[in-house]
Amino acid sequence: MNHTLTECHYKCAKSLIAKQTIESLDRLPSLEPMAKQLRSLLSSCLLSVTVSIVLLHVPTRVHSVTLKSDIEALRALMQAVDPVSIVRYSYLHSWDFTFDPCEAAGLFQGIVCTFPTDQSANRIMAIDLDPAGYDGFLTASIGNLTELTSLRISKNNFRGPIPETIANLQKLTRLSLTQNLFTGRIPQGIINLKHLQILDLSQNHLSSKIPADITTLRSLGQLSLSNNALSGRIPDLSALWQLSTLDLSSNNLDGIVPNLPMNLRKLSLSHNVLSGHISPVSVLQHLRVLDLSDNRLSGLIRQEIFTLPLVESINISNNQFTEMEPMPYPREGLQLRVLDAHANRLHGHLPISLVNIANLSSIDLSHNLFSGRIPLEYGAKLGSSWKSLLLEDNFLIGNLPPQFINGTVAVRANLAHNCLRCPPNILFCRGGQRANSECDGQQDHST
């Protein structure tokens, strides 16, 4: 085209030079036919130049600069999704394979590419699909995207097994398949993904055991396998020294609480069938959130649990604990704000040492076997720093501390179903007390 354009420029230039001649010939009637021929040549040449320039600026589909196998993997991913679920304005709706995935502006939303400075092909390095409700499968060809560092297809309806070829993605730092319908086991090859920092397979229908070799993923900072049907014992995870978040809640995991990573900030093992004591938790000095609720844990809750220096919330409800070890002396700087120990088998007197935790504001000791009087120290805390105190369904006796009688609606408290002298007109006493037959043996020696 460049050669043609140059030739045309030359001809046109010659014609333009002859323009004055044409005008002169127009003045001579006998030479009018020659003037018409020259004028026609000039017009044709100008038209040719104009068309050539326009064609040079028309965008054309170029040869692909993204690795062919990457394009085919993307195509397979899209073809495995029910077209009906690819709604308008969703990311997959923008995938048009007549264009190059890495070069097409405005297309292939949710894709991030590498752009090498040498002559090598572009590669797909991240897939982050929107939660549009895609219904389909994750095909084995996903394993061909060997430059992927992030795969995130959360909050959709992908189903079937997680392909074993996921093990080929050895540059992955983030794998998030949460809130889908995946079934089967956690791929054993996942232990090959040594660079993983975030592994989130939560809220699926996975039913295997947790791979024991998952502890080889030393870069993991977040591990979430919650809301599945995983079974068996939790492996010793102490080698995952960078792990800050561990969520294995809502599964069918049994056995004891294992040794845990020392740098954990958030630990949730709730809604399983774990048993035994919780001593491994007492050494987690960086822990901020602890949830062990709804298991079969039992025995003594050691005071080291309540005095972890950074913990803000503890939920040990719905277990079989029988005793809370008191703190022998006040501790400064504790961050504990929320303590939920309801629905256990805790007995004895209410723990007075709780008043020594300065930041504590919400306490739930309901549905236990506590007996004796409500400490006067509880009255001093209620309405000042304590904003919620739930003590219903115990065997507490005697009169109420004065502050309880003068309680306000700004404080949430419940003293129902005990053996207290609790006037029904008192807000906190609504719901009534136990029948006398249930309170037999509960002695009140107060005057």
Side-chain angles (χ1 to χ4, degrees), residues 112-317:
V112 179
C113 300
T114 64
F115 295 96
T117 55
D118 56 16
Q119 298 301 312
S120 58
N122 297 334
R123 300 294 307 274
I124 309 299
M125 67 176 292
I127 299 177
D128 187 355
L129 293 185
D130 54 331
Y134 302 122
D135 186 355
F137 300 89
L138 190 60
T139 66
S141 61
I142 195 72
N144 295 331
L145 299 173
T146 53
E147 288 295 313
L148 271 186
T149 60
S150 177
L151 176 58
R152 186 177 176 184
I153 57 173
S154 307
K155 300 180 181 179
N156 283 291
N157 294 312
F158 286 98
R159 46 200 161 83
I162 301 172
E164 293 288 342
T165 55
I166 208 88
N168 298 339
L169 309 180
Q170 297 191 19
K171 293 187 178 182
L172 273 185
T173 60
R174 181 185 187 117
L175 178 59
S176 181
L177 310 181
T178 181
Q179 296 186 49
N180 279 286
L181 303 172
F182 288 111
T183 55
R185 65 174 191 163
I186 299 174
Q188 184 63 34
I190 212 164
I191 64 174
N192 296 326
L193 308 181
K194 305 300 184 185
H195 298 287
L196 266 186
Q197 298 172 13
I198 298 175
L199 176 57
D200 190 350
L201 306 180
S202 62
Q203 299 188 54
N204 282 285
H205 301 296
L206 302 173
S207 56
S208 64
K209 295 182 178 181
I210 300 174
D213 292 338
I214 202 168
T215 55
T216 62
L217 303 180
R218 301 296 177 87
S219 297
L220 271 183
Q222 177 181 328
L223 174 59
S224 181
L225 306 176
S226 65
N227 292 89
N228 280 287
L230 301 175
S231 59
R233 294 180 171 242
I234 303 172
D236 185 328
L237 300 175
S238 57
L240 299 177
W241 61 276
Q242 295 194 73
L243 198 66
S244 62
T245 298
L246 176 62
D247 189 352
L248 305 179
S249 60
S250 299
N251 281 288
N252 298 317
L253 300 169
D254 57 24
I256 63 173
V257 177
N259 292 327
L260 297 163
M262 295 294 291
N263 287 316
L264 277 181
R265 269 74 169 169
K266 180 180 179 180
L267 172 63
S268 181
L269 304 178
S270 63
H271 304 285
N272 282 288
V273 285
L274 300 173
S275 57
H277 57 81
I278 58 172
S279 297
V281 177
S282 63
V283 298
L284 304 179
Q285 297 297 302
H286 301 282
L287 199 63
R288 295 181 180 274
V289 177
L290 173 64
D291 189 352
L292 303 177
S293 62
D294 196 13
N295 279 285
R296 298 175 184 175
L297 300 166
S298 60
L300 174 69
I301 308 170
R302 301 187 65 84
Q303 56 96 13
E304 287 86 358
I305 302 294
F306 305 115
T307 58
L308 289 169
L310 300 178
V311 71
E312 299 174 0
S313 174
I314 296 176
N315 189 346
I316 49 177
S317 64

Side-chain angles (χ1 to χ4, degrees), residues 57-76:
H57 290 83
V58 171
T60 59
R61 287 181 172 85
V62 298
H63 292 296
S64 173
V65 293
T66 300
L67 193 69
K68 183 177 180 181
S69 61
D70 280 16
I71 296 176
E72 292 307 313
L74 292 181
R75 194 191 306 274

Side-chain angles (χ1 to χ4, degrees), residues 350 355 363 365 373-384 386-392 396-409 411-416 418 420-430 433:
L350 292 172
V355 303
I363 303 166
L365 301 177
R373 303 184 66 192
I374 299 174
L376 293 175
E377 291 86 348
Y378 278 31
K381 283 286 186 178
L382 193 69
S384 56
W386 288 7
K387 304 302 181 185
S388 178
L389 177 63
L390 305 180
L391 301 176
E392 72 268 22
L396 303 172
I397 61 174
N399 297 320
L400 305 184
Q403 295 87 347
F404 282 63
I405 297 174
N406 300 321
T408 66
V409 293
V411 177
R412 180 174 178 240
N414 193 336
L415 305 177
N418 279 283
L420 294 163
R421 297 193 187 104
C422 203
N425 62 316
I426 301 299
L427 179 65
F428 304 152
C429 297
R430 290 180 180 175
Q433 297 295 298

